Amino acid sequence: MRPVASRLRDIGLLAAALLLFAGLAHPLRAESAVSRDDIVKQLTGLDAAPDLDIAALRDQVLKRSQSRSKNEPPPQKRPPIAPELTKLPTFNVNIQFDTDTPIVLPDSYETLGRIADALVQSTMLPYGFLIIGHIEANGKRENNALLSQRRADAIRDVLVNTFKISSKRVQSVGLGEEQLLDAAHPTAAVNQQIQIVTVAKLPEQSEQPSTASPASPAKKSAKKKR
Amino acid sequence: MVRGGFILFVVALAAPSLAVAETISFGDAAALLAKSCAAEITANCRGVNFDANRLKECLSRNQDALSQQCKADYLRSLDAIQKRVAARTAVANACAREIVKLCAGSTKETSKSVPCLTTAHGVSRNCLQAMDDAGYR
């Protein structure tokens, strides 16, 4: 009895090892929603970097979401709080969060990985990005502003801490229900999407070459004089 | 000194199999983690975000509750992410000549030279491989 059982176990182990090996050889078998190159394509084409004051925008969102004025328009009629952001290269994406928390569910790990892959791709390296959180117009307006900020921060943290994207390249802001993606349907799920927006072109070359360049014209002119 | 030694070490590790990609993409690594450990993460690490260190800590603390598949894959996928990140530092070394000669850049700020490196002519195979491993191309 024993030898048979152990032989069976050996076969099982061998099969497991083979499966594992196959898994190693083809890690990409799961059907993914987005590809890195799709994301890159959508984030490409920043014409002119806008002048953004993210801290001020956060304040604005919070204040507007707290407004108790009787003249407050219903969600469908609220003007977008940061219309300048809608004109920039943008990638809209569904990220699954645990209810009322900024915790990303495992279903969305791959998507975050693809986003990180896109931000590391060479043509994206000279750019800075804004992660925008949105919440559909359900529940307390102020809470939605806060939750969207926490979610945008969480995505930023994953990109910076797990995938080591330079913190200088990613900022985050939560717009709550102040800039609905589908204003005609304020409670539609599409209003929960996260947006990645290209917002900045990083300075071309920094200290190293720029300290060297003032020196080189001097050298050239010195040569000319001789 | 220490850093130089580390780079040499990385290069030594990378040397034997230059023809094969040494790393997998972040997306693939993250997909592997989710595929093998989604249930375990939901059951044992609720409230832990997708933070490599915290997830590793949580999953290893809950070893006994992990499926065989998850146990086999979680370190592998988290290490794969780390390897991909570490591969960036190897580019400075593998592409030192190209960065300076072809792209007029500095190896202290490799990432600034990468857009140039990926389109430049006359880039060594070694350098191309290093950029693939870092996910730049």
Side-chain angles (χ1 to χ4, degrees), chain A residues 20 23-30 36-37 97-99 102-114 116-117 120-126 154-155 157-158 161-166 202-209, chain B residues 24-35 37-39 41-42 45-53 55 69 72-73 76 78 81-82 84-85 88 103-109 111-115 118 134-137:
Chain A
L20 203 80
L24 259 173
H26 300 283
L28 213 190
R29 270 293 148 91
R36 173 192 78 159
D37 293 346
F97 291 95
D98 208 351
T99 319
I103 304 295
V104 176
L105 297 179
D107 279 354
S108 291
Y109 285 6
E110 178 179 357
T111 304
L112 291 188
R114 302 275 170 229
D117 284 326
V120 168
Q121 200 261 7
S122 67
T123 60
M124 295 283 104
L125 288 178
I155 303 296
D157 287 348
V158 172
N161 297 333
T162 297
F163 298 111
K164 307 295 178 203
I165 307 294
S166 161
L202 308 181
E204 274 290 292
Q205 296 285 324
S206 62
E207 301 81 58
Q208 269 266 310
Chain B
I24 61 170
S25 71
F26 289 142
D28 290 353
L32 175 67
L33 178 63
K35 199 182 91 202
C37 299
I41 291 169
T42 312
C45 307
R46 219 170 159 191
V48 178
N49 225 329
F50 185 14
D51 177 293
N53 291 328
L55 267 185
Q69 192 66 50
D73 287 344
R76 197 156 66 97
L78 293 173
I81 291 172
Q82 214 165 25
R84 187 86 160 180
V85 169
R88 290 178 204 160
C103 298
S106 155
T107 49
K108 292 206 170 98
E109 288 186 303
S111 68
K112 293 206 162 146
S113 295
V114 169
T118 51
Y136 287 148
R137 294 212 298 163

Side-chain angles (χ1 to χ4, degrees), chain A residues 5-21, chain B residues 68:
Chain A
S6 74
R7 211 176 293 158
L8 274 175
R9 202 191 54 200
D10 284 351
I11 291 169
L13 278 175
L14 191 73
L18 278 173
L19 275 175
L20 203 80
F21 185 74
Chain B
Q68 279 305 113

Side-chain angles (χ1 to χ4, degrees), chain A residues 74-105:
Chain A
Q76 301 87 308
K77 298 215 168 121
R78 283 176 204 150
I81 198 157
E84 68 273 23
L85 294 177
T86 60
K87 291 167 195 132
L88 302 165
T90 302
F91 170 61
N92 287 11
V93 62
N94 286 310
I95 302 286
Q96 308 294 328
F97 291 95
D98 208 351
T99 319
D100 289 332
T101 74
I103 304 295
V104 176
L105 297 179

